[in-house]
Amino acid sequence: TQVLRRGLQRGVVLSTGSFLVYEAHKLISGFAEVHASFKVEDVIEQADYLYGSGETEKLYRLLVQHKNSDDAELLWRLARSSRDLAQLGSTSAEEKRQLTYDSLEYAKKALEKNESNSAAHKWYGICLSDVGDYEGIKTKIGNAIVIKEHFQRAIELNPKDATTIHLIGIWCYSFAEMPWYQRKIAATLFATPPTSTFQELFACLHAADPNFYSKNLLFLGKTYLKLNNKKMALLWLSKAKEYPAQTEEDKQVR
């Protein structure tokens, strides 16, 4: 009887211990899940700070650790940072090429995770255009319609995004000034080749908020030149020159 009593007591202790272990596991798992959800937000907050500070390399190192993430917000930021790193003068030609293709993959994955993410559409269009620089003019022109579709979808999802409106303008510029031999290539690729005018471009660049971006100022100046308005061209090109050079692209614009 005494042995039986001890056995029952031991069973109760073991059962209580098991229950406590189980409850502790649930508690820890719960904390882990909460921590994981906050971790994404923390990484995004840190990433946005680094982006605003122009810390291109630090930003890339932070985000590339999350390249296998399922979060579209992280992935499109990684696509952008990969592209930004590729743009640096200190990046070798081989690294630039790899980063360019990587950025497209990250943007594509972001879209797969969330088709309704405006930024994912925008950066997919940008990165697809960049890849065309390595694959030849025929591929670049062939991708043009897809690129514009993604920019238009990005604007549908976020009508106030000045950057995407600007990108539509740049798309228009590339087709408005397309040389004859590229037009012949376009004619072989499309039943109705894409076209544009400088008036369309002008409308997009102004709609984007003219002063928000150095490249927007530059292209406004170039568009006025195409429209033979040298006075206004000088105004906007002067603004582009005086724009604070915070990024590598700003320096190229200047």
Side-chain angles (χ1 to χ4, degrees), residues 23-218:
E23 288 299 310
H25 172 71
K26 283 205 305 181
L27 189 62
I28 291 168
S29 298
F31 276 127
E33 288 175 9
V34 171
H35 177 70
S37 65
F38 278 105
K39 185 178 180 182
V40 171
E41 294 173 5
D42 290 344
V43 172
I44 289 173
E45 184 178 356
Q46 188 178 354
D48 289 346
Y49 173 79
L50 290 172
Y51 181 75
S53 303
E55 296 282 0
T56 304
E57 294 180 19
K58 287 183 181 178
L59 175 58
Y60 175 76
R61 288 198 297 270
L62 169 69
L63 291 174
V64 78
Q65 300 175 66
H66 305 280
K67 64 182 181 180
N68 295 319
S69 171
D70 290 331
D71 192 283
E73 290 291 329
L74 279 176
L75 290 167
W76 75 252
R77 284 173 170 81
L78 176 55
R80 180 183 64 183
S81 71
S82 300
R83 182 181 187 270
D84 286 348
L85 187 59
Q87 300 288 318
L88 293 182
S90 57
T91 303
S92 70
E94 184 179 346
E95 290 173 323
K96 180 181 176 71
R97 180 187 176 93
Q98 185 61 55
L99 286 165
T100 300
Y101 279 89
D102 286 348
S103 66
L104 179 60
E105 286 303 310
Y106 299 141
K108 181 180 178 182
K109 188 176 177 184
L111 274 179
E112 289 170 353
K113 299 302 177 184
N114 185 358
E115 194 279 335
S116 297
N117 189 298
S118 172
H121 281 281
K122 174 172 68 179
W123 287 100
Y124 183 81
I126 293 170
C127 296
L128 183 60
S129 178
D130 288 346
V131 165
D133 293 337
Y134 290 99
E135 299 192 350
I137 191 65
K138 187 172 182 179
T139 298
K140 196 169 183 69
I141 293 173
N143 287 336
I145 298 296
V146 177
I147 291 167
K148 189 177 184 182
E149 286 173 350
H150 281 283
F151 289 159
Q152 289 173 328
R153 177 62 175 148
I155 292 172
E156 287 174 11
L157 293 166
N158 185 6
K160 295 182 179 181
D161 182 14
T163 306
T164 310
I165 298 170
H166 161 84
L167 290 167
I168 291 282
I170 300 302
W171 188 96
C172 290
Y173 188 93
S174 66
F175 280 93
E177 71 155 13
M178 182 178 281
W180 66 269
Y181 70 91
Q182 291 186 10
R183 292 187 187 280
K184 289 191 72 173
I185 295 172
T188 66
L189 296 173
F190 303 103
T192 305
T195 59
S196 187
T197 66
F198 288 109
Q199 285 75 15
E200 287 179 276
L201 164 63
F202 181 78
C204 285
L205 295 178
H206 266 287
D209 177 9
N211 299 293
F212 89 104
Y213 177 36
S214 61
K215 203 167 184 179
N216 204 65
L217 297 170
L218 173 66

